[in-house]
Amino acid sequence: MDWNNDGYTDLIVGDRDGFINYFQRNSDGTLQSGMKLLNGGITLDAGANSAPDFVDWDNDGDLDMIVGTDTTAPVRFYENTGTASAYQFDGFVNFIAGGSSVTLYRSMPSIYDMNGDGLFDIVMGATDKKFHYFENTGTSGSPSFAAAVQLQYQSGGAAVTEASDSRLDLCDWNEDGHIDFVAGDYNQNTYLFFANDGTGIEGGYSGITVPSAFSLNGNPVAGTLSMNINLGEASSPMFTVYTMNGRTVLSHNAGTLDAGNNNVLIPIDLPSGAYMVRCDTGNIALTERFVVVR
């Protein structure tokens, strides 16, 4: 989001201690050192594991903030009483839906127009593994939210309950015109849910293999290339070794590896020199450089 209205996309994240950290984008694409957002002139503390999202809630031209937390306290709404280029928070109110404050343990709100009516809605992950959908039944500039509905699979009407403590984002992942969901969970798994209408979800999900770490266990290398890869789910990564001018000299299929940390060993019979190993898994590729010494 462009928090200070200068034409550059900034970064705002919550943290373990409940603070909201603002990193301003420079014109060259780099980020400035983080600063904590203020509320009433003092550091804003929304509660442990604060999870903010932003939208122009009251249609007055600046961004407001909704924050979930890692507590049983109600989800909070902070109105920006400043301007688009100079925010100001002066207190908060509880987020109300269906006439009551919303209290979800480890709540994480995401804002999206779920039903295509031109009004933003809210979907929250929580520790109960469910997606809680709050439809905006108000008007532009004066939102009002219905009580939560649990998002369900279209076949059978069962609630989606794969991702514990789900952290989610919404987008049209496969560019078919419908909203999809990417959700992480407490156990470091990542899920992709495909939706085929405004609120229903197809009868299944696919995992996204996200290596959180790829590293060499030793460098230089003599006879064996030893690597460590941490996978979000069981998958079959492909390893390819290249010379530094891009020529392929070795390919290795490691077979199916388990979720979590895996050690992979590849016998190396190459001349002394510098090489690069590429790991292709899921929809991304990671690389490391190494040297062979004979």
Side-chain angles (χ1 to χ4, degrees):
M1 83 205 68
D2 184 1
W3 182 242
N4 59 350
N5 201 35
D6 64 354
Y8 303 110
T9 301
D10 306 306
L11 177 66
I12 300 184
V13 294
D15 67 22
R16 179 70 175 174
D17 297 320
F19 305 127
I20 311 292
N21 303 278
Y22 165 47
F23 299 85
Q24 181 178 337
R25 182 82 58 182
N26 298 317
S27 59
D28 63 358
T30 59
L31 294 170
Q32 296 184 18
S33 298
M35 62 180 69
K36 292 178 172 59
L37 296 188
L38 303 178
N39 181 40
I42 62 175
T43 300
L44 188 156
D45 185 352
N49 287 340
S50 52
D53 203 4
F54 299 84
V55 69
D56 186 355
W57 191 277
D58 47 9
N59 202 27
D60 65 352
D62 56 44
L63 292 173
D64 308 294
M65 180 172 68
I66 185 171
V67 184
T69 67
D70 193 9
T71 68
T72 55
V75 176
R76 296 179 175 185
F77 166 65
Y78 293 82
E79 180 185 357
N80 185 353
T81 59
T83 66
S85 55
Y87 85 94
Q88 182 173 326
F89 295 135
D90 295 298
F92 65 90
V93 297
N94 294 342
F95 171 60
I96 304 296
S100 301
S101 297
V102 174
T103 301
L104 291 170
Y105 184 55
R106 290 182 176 162
S107 55
M108 191 268 186
S110 291
I111 295 171
Y112 200 95
D113 181 2
M114 291 286 292
N115 55 3
D117 64 356
L119 302 174
F120 68 86
D121 307 298
I122 295 176
V123 180
M124 290 190 199
T127 199
D128 61 4
K129 296 187 177 183
K130 297 176 181 177
F131 292 125
H132 302 264
Y133 165 45
F134 301 90
E135 181 185 357
N136 185 348
T137 58
T139 62
S140 178
S142 183
S144 179
F145 296 90
V149 174
Q150 313 308 321
L151 294 187
Q152 300 177 340
Y153 286 120
Q154 290 184 327
S155 57
V160 179
T161 57
E162 274 73 25
S164 175
D165 302 320
S166 53
R167 297 296 185 258
L168 69 149
D169 200 4
L170 301 100
C171 61
D172 184 0
W173 181 274
N174 56 353
E175 299 182 347
D176 64 353
H178 302 303
I179 306 161
D180 307 309
F181 302 80
V182 178
D185 71 10
Y186 188 77
N187 296 314
Q188 302 181 41
N189 298 313
T190 306
Y191 302 86
L192 174 61
F193 299 88
F194 289 106
N196 53 19
D197 68 8
T199 57
I201 299 172
E202 293 178 358
Y205 66 91
S206 63
I208 304 176
T209 306
V210 181
S212 58
F214 174 52
S215 60
L216 303 182
N217 294 325
N219 194 7
V221 173
T224 301
L225 177 61
S226 176
M227 299 166 291
N228 178 271
I229 182 168
N230 190 312
L231 295 171
E233 66 170 16
S235 62
S236 302
M238 173 63 73
F239 297 89
T240 308
V241 176
Y242 300 90
T243 63
M244 297 310 293
N245 63 3
R247 182 171 60 89
T248 300
V249 293
L250 188 152
S251 294
H252 178 79
N253 188 331
T256 301
L257 303 181
D258 294 330
N261 285 307
N262 295 269
N263 287 317
V264 178
L265 303 176
I266 303 178
I268 293 291
D269 184 17
L270 296 170
S272 297
Y275 298 87
M276 178 176 68
V277 58
R278 168 173 165 153
C279 173
D280 288 276
T281 182
N283 58 351
I284 66 172
L286 299 172
T287 60
E288 287 283 350
R289 295 181 180 182
F290 67 96
V291 173
V292 173
V293 176
R294 295 293 184 185

PDB file of all heavy atoms in Angstrom, residues 231-253:
ATOM      1  N   LEU A 231      11.021 -28.126   3.259  1.00  0.00           N
ATOM      2  CA  LEU A 231       9.843 -28.077   2.408  1.00  0.00           C
ATOM      3  C   LEU A 231       8.574 -27.871   3.219  1.00  0.00           C
ATOM      4  O   LEU A 231       8.434 -28.390   4.333  1.00  0.00           O
ATOM      5  CB  LEU A 231       9.711 -29.378   1.611  1.00  0.00           C
ATOM      6  CG  LEU A 231      10.814 -29.664   0.591  1.00  0.00           C
ATOM      7  CD1 LEU A 231      10.673 -31.078   0.055  1.00  0.00           C
ATOM      8  CD2 LEU A 231      10.766 -28.658  -0.546  1.00  0.00           C
ATOM      9  N   GLY A 232       7.643 -27.123   2.636  1.00  0.00           N
ATOM     10  CA  GLY A 232       6.355 -26.902   3.270  1.00  0.00           C
ATOM     11  C   GLY A 232       5.469 -28.128   3.236  1.00  0.00           C
ATOM     12  O   GLY A 232       4.576 -28.285   4.066  1.00  0.00           O
ATOM     13  N   GLU A 233       5.688 -29.022   2.269  1.00  0.00           N
ATOM     14  CA  GLU A 233       4.942 -30.273   2.179  1.00  0.00           C
ATOM     15  C   GLU A 233       5.763 -31.272   1.378  1.00  0.00           C
ATOM     16  O   GLU A 233       6.755 -30.911   0.730  1.00  0.00           O
ATOM     17  CB  GLU A 233       3.588 -30.059   1.509  1.00  0.00           C
ATOM     18  CG  GLU A 233       3.705 -29.663   0.052  1.00  0.00           C
ATOM     19  CD  GLU A 233       2.351 -29.685  -0.651  1.00  0.00           C
ATOM     20  OE1 GLU A 233       1.325 -29.708   0.030  1.00  0.00           O
ATOM     21  OE2 GLU A 233       2.351 -29.690  -1.888  1.00  0.00           O
ATOM     22  N   ALA A 234       5.389 -32.528   1.409  1.00  0.00           N
ATOM     23  CA  ALA A 234       6.092 -33.555   0.645  1.00  0.00           C
ATOM     24  C   ALA A 234       6.052 -33.214  -0.844  1.00  0.00           C
ATOM     25  O   ALA A 234       5.013 -32.836  -1.383  1.00  0.00           O
ATOM     26  CB  ALA A 234       5.464 -34.919   0.892  1.00  0.00           C
ATOM     27  N   SER A 235       7.186 -33.321  -1.509  1.00  0.00           N
ATOM     28  CA  SER A 235       7.268 -32.993  -2.936  1.00  0.00           C
ATOM     29  C   SER A 235       8.520 -33.616  -3.533  1.00  0.00           C
ATOM     30  O   SER A 235       9.313 -34.242  -2.825  1.00  0.00           O
ATOM     31  CB  SER A 235       7.281 -31.482  -3.142  1.00  0.00           C
ATOM     32  OG  SER A 235       8.413 -30.914  -2.516  1.00  0.00           O
ATOM     33  N   SER A 236       8.676 -33.447  -4.844  1.00  0.00           N
ATOM     34  CA  SER A 236       9.800 -34.058  -5.570  1.00  0.00           C
ATOM     35  C   SER A 236      10.616 -32.976  -6.270  1.00  0.00           C
ATOM     36  O   SER A 236      10.414 -32.697  -7.455  1.00  0.00           O
ATOM     37  CB  SER A 236       9.277 -35.079  -6.592  1.00  0.00           C
ATOM     38  OG  SER A 236       8.519 -36.081  -5.963  1.00  0.00           O
ATOM     39  N   PRO A 237      11.535 -32.346  -5.575  1.00  0.00           N
ATOM     40  CA  PRO A 237      12.333 -31.291  -6.203  1.00  0.00           C
ATOM     41  C   PRO A 237      13.341 -31.849  -7.207  1.00  0.00           C
ATOM     42  O   PRO A 237      13.799 -32.983  -7.087  1.00  0.00           O
ATOM     43  CB  PRO A 237      13.050 -30.639  -5.012  1.00  0.00           C
ATOM     44  CG  PRO A 237      13.101 -31.706  -3.972  1.00  0.00           C
ATOM     45  CD  PRO A 237      11.866 -32.533  -4.153  1.00  0.00           C
ATOM     46  N   MET A 238      13.665 -31.034  -8.189  1.00  0.00           N
ATOM     47  CA  MET A 238      14.681 -31.376  -9.186  1.00  0.00           C
ATOM     48  C   MET A 238      15.902 -30.486  -8.964  1.00  0.00           C
ATOM     49  O   MET A 238      15.770 -29.264  -8.803  1.00  0.00           O
ATOM     50  CB  MET A 238      14.140 -31.154 -10.598  1.00  0.00           C
ATOM     51  CG  MET A 238      15.176 -31.328 -11.699  1.00  0.00           C
ATOM     52  SD  MET A 238      15.835 -33.019 -11.782  1.00  0.00           S
ATOM     53  CE  MET A 238      14.416 -33.880 -12.490  1.00  0.00           C
ATOM     54  N   PHE A 239      17.077 -31.098  -8.941  1.00  0.00           N
ATOM     55  CA  PHE A 239      18.330 -30.364  -8.755  1.00  0.00           C
ATOM     56  C   PHE A 239      19.118 -30.398 -10.062  1.00  0.00           C
ATOM     57  O   PHE A 239      19.294 -31.460 -10.661  1.00  0.00           O
ATOM     58  CB  PHE A 239      19.147 -30.982  -7.624  1.00  0.00           C
ATOM     59  CG  PHE A 239      18.468 -30.922  -6.288  1.00  0.00           C
ATOM     60  CD1 PHE A 239      17.619 -31.941  -5.880  1.00  0.00           C
ATOM     61  CD2 PHE A 239      18.643 -29.835  -5.448  1.00  0.00           C
ATOM     62  CE1 PHE A 239      16.980 -31.899  -4.660  1.00  0.00           C
ATOM     63  CE2 PHE A 239      18.011 -29.773  -4.221  1.00  0.00           C
ATOM     64  CZ  PHE A 239      17.170 -30.807  -3.822  1.00  0.00           C
ATOM     65  N   THR A 240      19.594 -29.243 -10.490  1.00  0.00           N
ATOM     66  CA  THR A 240      20.371 -29.130 -11.722  1.00  0.00           C
ATOM     67  C   THR A 240      21.647 -28.366 -11.421  1.00  0.00           C
ATOM     68  O   THR A 240      21.596 -27.303 -10.782  1.00  0.00           O
ATOM     69  CB  THR A 240      19.578 -28.398 -12.821  1.00  0.00           C
ATOM     70  OG1 THR A 240      18.298 -29.005 -12.972  1.00  0.00           O
ATOM     71  CG2 THR A 240      20.327 -28.452 -14.145  1.00  0.00           C
ATOM     72  N   VAL A 241      22.765 -28.902 -11.882  1.00  0.00           N
ATOM     73  CA  VAL A 241      24.061 -28.246 -11.682  1.00  0.00           C
ATOM     74  C   VAL A 241      24.503 -27.626 -13.005  1.00  0.00           C
ATOM     75  O   VAL A 241      24.450 -28.279 -14.065  1.00  0.00           O
ATOM     76  CB  VAL A 241      25.116 -29.250 -11.173  1.00  0.00           C
ATOM     77  CG1 VAL A 241      26.491 -28.584 -11.067  1.00  0.00           C
ATOM     78  CG2 VAL A 241      24.695 -29.815  -9.818  1.00  0.00           C
ATOM     79  N   TYR A 242      24.952 -26.376 -12.941  1.00  0.00           N
ATOM     80  CA  TYR A 242      25.395 -25.629 -14.119  1.00  0.00           C
ATOM     81  C   TYR A 242      26.826 -25.143 -13.912  1.00  0.00           C
ATOM     82  O   TYR A 242      27.268 -24.905 -12.776  1.00  0.00           O
ATOM     83  CB  TYR A 242      24.529 -24.383 -14.341  1.00  0.00           C
ATOM     84  CG  TYR A 242      23.068 -24.646 -14.552  1.00  0.00           C
ATOM     85  CD1 TYR A 242      22.191 -24.689 -13.470  1.00  0.00           C
ATOM     86  CD2 TYR A 242      22.538 -24.829 -15.826  1.00  0.00           C
ATOM     87  CE1 TYR A 242      20.834 -24.905 -13.650  1.00  0.00           C
ATOM     88  CE2 TYR A 242      21.182 -25.057 -16.016  1.00  0.00           C
ATOM     89  CZ  TYR A 242      20.336 -25.089 -14.925  1.00  0.00           C
ATOM     90  OH  TYR A 242      18.996 -25.299 -15.107  1.00  0.00           O
ATOM     91  N   THR A 243      27.536 -25.004 -15.022  1.00  0.00           N
ATOM     92  CA  THR A 243      28.776 -24.234 -14.973  1.00  0.00           C
ATOM     93  C   THR A 243      28.413 -22.761 -14.845  1.00  0.00           C
ATOM     94  O   THR A 243      27.257 -22.375 -15.027  1.00  0.00           O
ATOM     95  CB  THR A 243      29.606 -24.448 -16.250  1.00  0.00           C
ATOM     96  OG1 THR A 243      28.854 -23.942 -17.374  1.00  0.00           O
ATOM     97  CG2 THR A 243      29.929 -25.915 -16.465  1.00  0.00           C
ATOM     98  N   MET A 244      29.380 -21.924 -14.548  1.00  0.00           N
ATOM     99  CA  MET A 244      29.092 -20.511 -14.348  1.00  0.00           C
ATOM    100  C   MET A 244      28.745 -19.784 -15.639  1.00  0.00           C
ATOM    101  O   MET A 244      28.283 -18.645 -15.612  1.00  0.00           O
ATOM    102  CB  MET A 244      30.258 -19.818 -13.637  1.00  0.00           C
ATOM    103  CG  MET A 244      30.521 -20.360 -12.230  1.00  0.00           C
ATOM    104  SD  MET A 244      29.035 -20.451 -11.188  1.00  0.00           S
ATOM    105  CE  MET A 244      28.662 -18.710 -10.989  1.00  0.00           C
ATOM    106  N   ASN A 245      28.967 -20.438 -16.797  1.00  0.00           N
ATOM    107  CA  ASN A 245      28.522 -19.835 -18.062  1.00  0.00           C
ATOM    108  C   ASN A 245      27.191 -20.415 -18.530  1.00  0.00           C
ATOM    109  O   ASN A 245      26.777 -20.220 -19.665  1.00  0.00           O
ATOM    110  CB  ASN A 245      29.596 -19.988 -19.147  1.00  0.00           C
ATOM    111  CG  ASN A 245      29.883 -21.436 -19.483  1.00  0.00           C
ATOM    112  OD1 ASN A 245      29.247 -22.344 -18.948  1.00  0.00           O
ATOM    113  ND2 ASN A 245      30.866 -21.659 -20.353  1.00  0.00           N
ATOM    114  N   GLY A 246      26.502 -21.182 -17.620  1.00  0.00           N
ATOM    115  CA  GLY A 246      25.144 -21.619 -17.896  1.00  0.00           C
ATOM    116  C   GLY A 246      24.993 -22.968 -18.545  1.00  0.00           C
ATOM    117  O   GLY A 246      23.879 -23.370 -18.897  1.00  0.00           O
ATOM    118  N   ARG A 247      26.057 -23.743 -18.677  1.00  0.00           N
ATOM    119  CA  ARG A 247      25.971 -25.065 -19.315  1.00  0.00           C
ATOM    120  C   ARG A 247      25.554 -26.110 -18.283  1.00  0.00           C
ATOM    121  O   ARG A 247      26.142 -26.212 -17.205  1.00  0.00           O
ATOM    122  CB  ARG A 247      27.307 -25.451 -19.944  1.00  0.00           C
ATOM    123  CG  ARG A 247      27.290 -26.800 -20.679  1.00  0.00           C
ATOM    124  CD  ARG A 247      28.576 -26.994 -21.448  1.00  0.00           C
ATOM    125  NE  ARG A 247      29.750 -26.977 -20.574  1.00  0.00           N
ATOM    126  CZ  ARG A 247      30.251 -28.048 -19.984  1.00  0.00           C
ATOM    127  NH1 ARG A 247      29.682 -29.246 -20.182  1.00  0.00           N
ATOM    128  NH2 ARG A 247      31.320 -27.956 -19.223  1.00  0.00           N
ATOM    129  N   THR A 248      24.532 -26.905 -18.602  1.00  0.00           N
ATOM    130  CA  THR A 248      24.063 -27.955 -17.686  1.00  0.00           C
ATOM    131  C   THR A 248      25.048 -29.119 -17.677  1.00  0.00           C
ATOM    132  O   THR A 248      25.412 -29.648 -18.733  1.00  0.00           O
ATOM    133  CB  THR A 248      22.682 -28.472 -18.117  1.00  0.00           C
ATOM    134  OG1 THR A 248      21.747 -27.393 -18.110  1.00  0.00           O
ATOM    135  CG2 THR A 248      22.183 -29.560 -17.173  1.00  0.00           C
ATOM    136  N   VAL A 249      25.489 -29.535 -16.485  1.00  0.00           N
ATOM    137  CA  VAL A 249      26.440 -30.635 -16.380  1.00  0.00           C
ATOM    138  C   VAL A 249      25.894 -31.796 -15.573  1.00  0.00           C
ATOM    139  O   VAL A 249      26.465 -32.896 -15.610  1.00  0.00           O
ATOM    140  CB  VAL A 249      27.773 -30.152 -15.749  1.00  0.00           C
ATOM    141  CG1 VAL A 249      28.483 -29.184 -16.678  1.00  0.00           C
ATOM    142  CG2 VAL A 249      27.533 -29.513 -14.387  1.00  0.00           C
ATOM    143  N   LEU A 250      24.774 -31.615 -14.894  1.00  0.00           N
ATOM    144  CA  LEU A 250      24.234 -32.692 -14.064  1.00  0.00           C
ATOM    145  C   LEU A 250      22.793 -32.376 -13.688  1.00  0.00           C
ATOM    146  O   LEU A 250      22.464 -31.229 -13.358  1.00  0.00           O
ATOM    147  CB  LEU A 250      25.079 -32.861 -12.801  1.00  0.00           C
ATOM    148  CG  LEU A 250      24.816 -34.057 -11.879  1.00  0.00           C
ATOM    149  CD1 LEU A 250      26.097 -34.440 -11.149  1.00  0.00           C
ATOM    150  CD2 LEU A 250      23.727 -33.732 -10.857  1.00  0.00           C
ATOM    151  N   SER A 251      21.931 -33.397 -13.744  1.00  0.00           N
ATOM    152  CA  SER A 251      20.557 -33.266 -13.265  1.00  0.00           C
ATOM    153  C   SER A 251      20.278 -34.406 -12.298  1.00  0.00           C
ATOM    154  O   SER A 251      20.728 -35.547 -12.510  1.00  0.00           O
ATOM    155  CB  SER A 251      19.552 -33.318 -14.425  1.00  0.00           C
ATOM    156  OG  SER A 251      19.697 -32.201 -15.270  1.00  0.00           O
ATOM    157  N   HIS A 252      19.536 -34.102 -11.242  1.00  0.00           N
ATOM    158  CA  HIS A 252      19.293 -35.105 -10.218  1.00  0.00           C
ATOM    159  C   HIS A 252      17.871 -34.977  -9.693  1.00  0.00           C
ATOM    160  O   HIS A 252      17.465 -33.912  -9.210  1.00  0.00           O
ATOM    161  CB  HIS A 252      20.278 -34.930  -9.057  1.00  0.00           C
ATOM    162  CG  HIS A 252      20.078 -35.900  -7.932  1.00  0.00           C
ATOM    163  ND1 HIS A 252      20.519 -37.198  -7.975  1.00  0.00           N
ATOM    164  CD2 HIS A 252      19.472 -35.751  -6.721  1.00  0.00           C
ATOM    165  CE1 HIS A 252      20.211 -37.818  -6.840  1.00  0.00           C
ATOM    166  NE2 HIS A 252      19.559 -36.950  -6.063  1.00  0.00           N
ATOM    167  N   ASN A 253      17.097 -36.069  -9.799  1.00  0.00           N
ATOM    168  CA  ASN A 253      15.764 -36.127  -9.210  1.00  0.00           C
ATOM    169  C   ASN A 253      15.880 -36.821  -7.865  1.00  0.00           C
ATOM    170  O   ASN A 253      16.238 -38.001  -7.792  1.00  0.00           O
ATOM    171  CB  ASN A 253      14.801 -36.884 -10.135  1.00  0.00           C
ATOM    172  CG  ASN A 253      13.357 -36.805  -9.649  1.00  0.00           C
ATOM    173  OD1 ASN A 253      13.103 -36.679  -8.456  1.00  0.00           O
ATOM    174  ND2 ASN A 253      12.421 -36.888 -10.577  1.00  0.00           N
TER     175      ASN A 253
END
